[in-house]
Amino acid sequence: MKFRSKVRNWLNVQFSKIKPGHNAIKGASVSLLLFSALLFLIFAFMLTADSNDPWLLSVFVTIAIISVLSAYLTIWLIGKLHSIPKSLKVSLLIASPLLFFTLAFEGLYWFAAILIFSLLGGAINVIWKGDFMSLTIPKKVVVACSLLISCSGLLFATLAYMPIGFESTPAINAAAINANKVANIEAASPAEKGQFEIGMLTYGSGKDKYRDVFAENVTIKTDSVNGLAFLDGWQGFSGWYREQYWGFDDKNLPLNAYVWYPKGEGPFPLVLMVHGNHSMQDYSDDGYAYLGELLASRGFIFASVDQNFINASWSDIGGGLDEENDARGWLLLEHLRLWNLWNSDETSAFFNKVDIQKIALIGHSRGGEAVAHAALLNQMPAYYDDATIAFDYNFNIESIIAIAPVDGQYEPGGAKTSLTDINYFVIHGSQDADVSSFLGAKQYERIDFSPDTDFFKSGVYVVGANHGQFNSGWGDNDTGFSFTKFLNNKPLLPELEQRQIAKVYISAFLEATLNQKDIYRPLFVDHRKGQSWLPDTIYVNQYEDASFLPIATFDEDFNVNTNLVKNGSISAHNVSIWREQELRMKWGEKGTRAAVIGWFSDEDEDRDDHGDDHEDENGDDDSDSQVGQQGMDQCSEQVITENIEASFVIDYSPQLIEADSNSILVFSLAESTENANPKASGKWLLNANESNSGNQSANTNTSNKEENAVNIIEKNNSETNSNVNKEDDGSEDEKAKQPLDFTIELEDTAGQKAVFALSEFSALQREIKTQIWKVQFVFDATESEMIFQTFSYPMAQIKAHNPDFDVSQITRIRFLFNKSKEGVIVLDNLGIMRPAMSL
């Protein structure tokens, strides 16, 4: 104590020698305020003069007043904080960061914990010390209320924490409505064990400090590789700790893997699997044994690659490995180099056992991005960040699979990875609390195909799947925190069901792309083709192959009236929303543009949605409705009268788009949850109708009808939007929104029409709203983003609606929004495809 007192006194003496005096402080204060105010006044008057708007000066006066009030308020708050007893201030300063970190960085939890613990401790201590009875009545009330509030808060927190989660309103499964009309693929489930007996081994450095399977018990010893050029951040404390833990540095990275293989003559296709960024001490590579065993039994060699040594660690708090996904991809190629050598080495157990022309890469999380980097690096003569490093890989990587991938963690040369002529499949879950945005949809957009090839790409979004359950070791904790029950895991699929989905899709994709079993291909367009194999949940599929002939992708220019076909055109009529825009996801832009179309009707709420055709206001039968009825069989819903019917029309020359009875019409759709009746004034429908009336008049029956529609819409806007869009005001939170449906009308050059409902394939799935965290229930908050579904209509099926319709002479595609009263859709990638087999 004497030493501390001497040090403190010495410091005070030294500071007193340089401490500013009263006059200096006063002068500094006056100078700071005077010159700051002077500069502010000059700036205010100059800007006001330049703007020619004297009212702008009032803004600056307001800013000055707020600044003065804020200064005095801040001083008052500091004074109040200063009056807090020292012991409580110390406790607050220590407890705040500890609680903030422990409670998943959630501000509400932090504040509640501070309040509850403080009130509880204060009340208990007063009662324990026997001071309660001597207190005044107001203070007794405060103590009692503090005890009640803190105990109630603890009880509420406990009740909220203990359950795995809470129920929210489930979305209606649009595809399930007519699933009984979709025939299952006539083949064995791709998730069934195959005919091969399974062998299992490991290969690695033989020097692993913690895992016997890669140390003394390793089956095949491998040499290390130098990753210095591909890893940034293996320095400082983080790098030192990695070397202490693993026993090697970035110049001696091991090539370790678990291998499941079929016992047979071969050769067998080769599949490499790589995990993502999990705690490096909690090994991830053995979490895919369920895939290894399945695929080996079906005739694939499956290697689950160890890259735990470049995963995250607690030692990275001060900085660690950065943008290392290229290293993950490069390591996969080094593993392929091993397999290529073993396949040609007569002394190897895998001599002539590997079909080196059939290779697939699978990655999870960061590994899901890394497989795309590996595919790109594989084609490069040199490393794109340092071309002095030559490459000579050039393996025949046919397919890549991404499980809940990230995107853009590493960007080659500062750009996104784009690939050509490779099969791509991505799967993602709605309850993913780690990668909560469907980022694999971005890479999907950056996969292109050359004509006359047979590659395809597909994505599936699975409602109820999370991030971790695709790996048997990661489980239901997507956060990395010990207190996993901050997550709302009530909607999660059981882990075995989630891995069943992975087995079905991954096995089917590999069978289709490496073994040319096209019978499984329809599964990637429509999950209902494999409904007997899959657990019951909502799936949203997207699909495109190399035969796709685009008519409209909305990426070609900024003119909303053009499409990709020469002299083609686009028009819209009586819609409330029409634009083309870059699509945004939860995390960044998707990398593609699409058309956004919205409509609404103020028709009587009680109209019969399943009634017969009705007459228009002139007493004549609605001709469009009559045409629609000829081809819709069970889709006999009453349509909105033509004078207010909204439509979106695409015209093009059939000579430039080859279609026949074997072709299919395809397009991608998603719902947008924006208001279908966006606003009552400003840049809205009336202005749009006036500006576009010239180029729309040719496709509108009469000018009176269009004027009628505008009048009706204006009348609706003079009221409120509450009766039009109830989704935004929360009045329909208790019930799920019905899937969207509308009519599709194709017209040939002779004027013959084929008319059918969107729901002939499936109605449009409403945007999936999720509550991933329990705290979202407190604020009634949800998360969602646009997930695209591919809609597919075989021309033979379309022609059945009108035998006189010529599918080779289609000149117009018209979407008639006459079945759902209101909605906003996002349309992309409309065109013609020629499938490998009937989809």
Side-chain angles (χ1 to χ4, degrees), residues 25 70 366 460 536 587 602 625 829:
I25 292 175
S70 297
R366 288 196 189 184
V460 62
D536 183 23
W587 296 357
D602 63 347
S625 297
N829 294 333

PDB file of all heavy atoms in Angstrom, residues 25 70 366 460 536 587 602 625 829:
ATOM      1  N   ILE A  25      -7.248  27.084 -19.543  1.00  0.00           N
ATOM      2  CA  ILE A  25      -8.462  26.309 -19.815  1.00  0.00           C
ATOM      3  C   ILE A  25      -9.582  27.213 -20.297  1.00  0.00           C
ATOM      4  O   ILE A  25     -10.311  26.890 -21.243  1.00  0.00           O
ATOM      5  CB  ILE A  25      -8.885  25.533 -18.546  1.00  0.00           C
ATOM      6  CG1 ILE A  25      -7.853  24.451 -18.233  1.00  0.00           C
ATOM      7  CG2 ILE A  25     -10.271  24.929 -18.720  1.00  0.00           C
ATOM      8  CD1 ILE A  25      -8.110  23.708 -16.950  1.00  0.00           C
ATOM      9  N   SER A  70     -27.652  19.107 -26.445  1.00  0.00           N
ATOM     10  CA  SER A  70     -26.947  17.824 -26.315  1.00  0.00           C
ATOM     11  C   SER A  70     -25.753  17.949 -25.390  1.00  0.00           C
ATOM     12  O   SER A  70     -25.447  17.030 -24.607  1.00  0.00           O
ATOM     13  CB  SER A  70     -26.481  17.341 -27.694  1.00  0.00           C
ATOM     14  OG  SER A  70     -27.574  17.103 -28.537  1.00  0.00           O
ATOM     15  N   ARG A 366     -17.581 -22.704 -45.938  1.00  0.00           N
ATOM     16  CA  ARG A 366     -16.464 -22.148 -46.705  1.00  0.00           C
ATOM     17  C   ARG A 366     -15.945 -23.145 -47.726  1.00  0.00           C
ATOM     18  O   ARG A 366     -15.459 -22.765 -48.796  1.00  0.00           O
ATOM     19  CB  ARG A 366     -15.333 -21.706 -45.767  1.00  0.00           C
ATOM     20  CG  ARG A 366     -15.655 -20.468 -44.969  1.00  0.00           C
ATOM     21  CD  ARG A 366     -14.421 -19.835 -44.355  1.00  0.00           C
ATOM     22  NE  ARG A 366     -14.805 -18.777 -43.431  1.00  0.00           N
ATOM     23  CZ  ARG A 366     -13.955 -17.991 -42.787  1.00  0.00           C
ATOM     24  NH1 ARG A 366     -12.654 -18.150 -42.970  1.00  0.00           N
ATOM     25  NH2 ARG A 366     -14.384 -17.059 -41.960  1.00  0.00           N
ATOM     26  N   VAL A 460     -31.443 -26.139 -54.496  1.00  0.00           N
ATOM     27  CA  VAL A 460     -32.634 -26.488 -53.715  1.00  0.00           C
ATOM     28  C   VAL A 460     -32.540 -25.808 -52.354  1.00  0.00           C
ATOM     29  O   VAL A 460     -31.500 -25.843 -51.688  1.00  0.00           O
ATOM     30  CB  VAL A 460     -32.815 -28.015 -53.565  1.00  0.00           C
ATOM     31  CG1 VAL A 460     -31.660 -28.657 -52.814  1.00  0.00           C
ATOM     32  CG2 VAL A 460     -34.136 -28.335 -52.875  1.00  0.00           C
ATOM     33  N   ASP A 536     -40.906 -34.829 -45.481  1.00  0.00           N
ATOM     34  CA  ASP A 536     -41.965 -33.874 -45.779  1.00  0.00           C
ATOM     35  C   ASP A 536     -41.578 -32.476 -45.283  1.00  0.00           C
ATOM     36  O   ASP A 536     -41.515 -32.233 -44.087  1.00  0.00           O
ATOM     37  CB  ASP A 536     -43.274 -34.324 -45.122  1.00  0.00           C
ATOM     38  CG  ASP A 536     -44.432 -33.397 -45.472  1.00  0.00           C
ATOM     39  OD1 ASP A 536     -44.356 -32.726 -46.503  1.00  0.00           O
ATOM     40  OD2 ASP A 536     -45.397 -33.352 -44.682  1.00  0.00           O
ATOM     41  N   TRP A 587     -27.542 -10.776 -47.809  1.00  0.00           N
ATOM     42  CA  TRP A 587     -26.139 -10.380 -47.810  1.00  0.00           C
ATOM     43  C   TRP A 587     -25.720 -10.017 -49.234  1.00  0.00           C
ATOM     44  O   TRP A 587     -25.331 -10.866 -50.019  1.00  0.00           O
ATOM     45  CB  TRP A 587     -25.250 -11.507 -47.302  1.00  0.00           C
ATOM     46  CG  TRP A 587     -25.495 -11.895 -45.879  1.00  0.00           C
ATOM     47  CD1 TRP A 587     -26.369 -11.327 -44.999  1.00  0.00           C
ATOM     48  CD2 TRP A 587     -24.868 -12.965 -45.160  1.00  0.00           C
ATOM     49  NE1 TRP A 587     -26.335 -11.960 -43.789  1.00  0.00           N
ATOM     50  CE2 TRP A 587     -25.421 -12.959 -43.848  1.00  0.00           C
ATOM     51  CE3 TRP A 587     -23.907 -13.907 -45.484  1.00  0.00           C
ATOM     52  CZ2 TRP A 587     -25.035 -13.890 -42.881  1.00  0.00           C
ATOM     53  CZ3 TRP A 587     -23.517 -14.818 -44.517  1.00  0.00           C
ATOM     54  CH2 TRP A 587     -24.070 -14.805 -43.234  1.00  0.00           C
ATOM     55  N   ASP A 602     -59.412  -4.248 -56.551  1.00  0.00           N
ATOM     56  CA  ASP A 602     -60.315  -3.893 -55.454  1.00  0.00           C
ATOM     57  C   ASP A 602     -61.687  -4.514 -55.674  1.00  0.00           C
ATOM     58  O   ASP A 602     -62.697  -4.007 -55.228  1.00  0.00           O
ATOM     59  CB  ASP A 602     -60.429  -2.383 -55.303  1.00  0.00           C
ATOM     60  CG  ASP A 602     -61.051  -1.723 -56.537  1.00  0.00           C
ATOM     61  OD1 ASP A 602     -61.151  -2.409 -57.575  1.00  0.00           O
ATOM     62  OD2 ASP A 602     -61.424  -0.537 -56.444  1.00  0.00           O
ATOM     63  N   SER A 625     -61.448 -14.818 -70.675  1.00  0.00           N
ATOM     64  CA  SER A 625     -61.859 -15.851 -69.729  1.00  0.00           C
ATOM     65  C   SER A 625     -62.306 -17.090 -70.482  1.00  0.00           C
ATOM     66  O   SER A 625     -62.046 -18.217 -70.079  1.00  0.00           O
ATOM     67  CB  SER A 625     -62.995 -15.333 -68.851  1.00  0.00           C
ATOM     68  OG  SER A 625     -62.558 -14.234 -68.086  1.00  0.00           O
ATOM     69  N   ASN A 829     -35.081 -15.371 -66.275  1.00  0.00           N
ATOM     70  CA  ASN A 829     -34.635 -16.510 -67.087  1.00  0.00           C
ATOM     71  C   ASN A 829     -35.785 -17.269 -67.750  1.00  0.00           C
ATOM     72  O   ASN A 829     -35.961 -18.475 -67.560  1.00  0.00           O
ATOM     73  CB  ASN A 829     -33.802 -17.465 -66.238  1.00  0.00           C
ATOM     74  CG  ASN A 829     -32.497 -16.839 -65.789  1.00  0.00           C
ATOM     75  OD1 ASN A 829     -31.958 -15.954 -66.454  1.00  0.00           O
ATOM     76  ND2 ASN A 829     -31.997 -17.261 -64.651  1.00  0.00           N
TER      77      ASN A 829
END
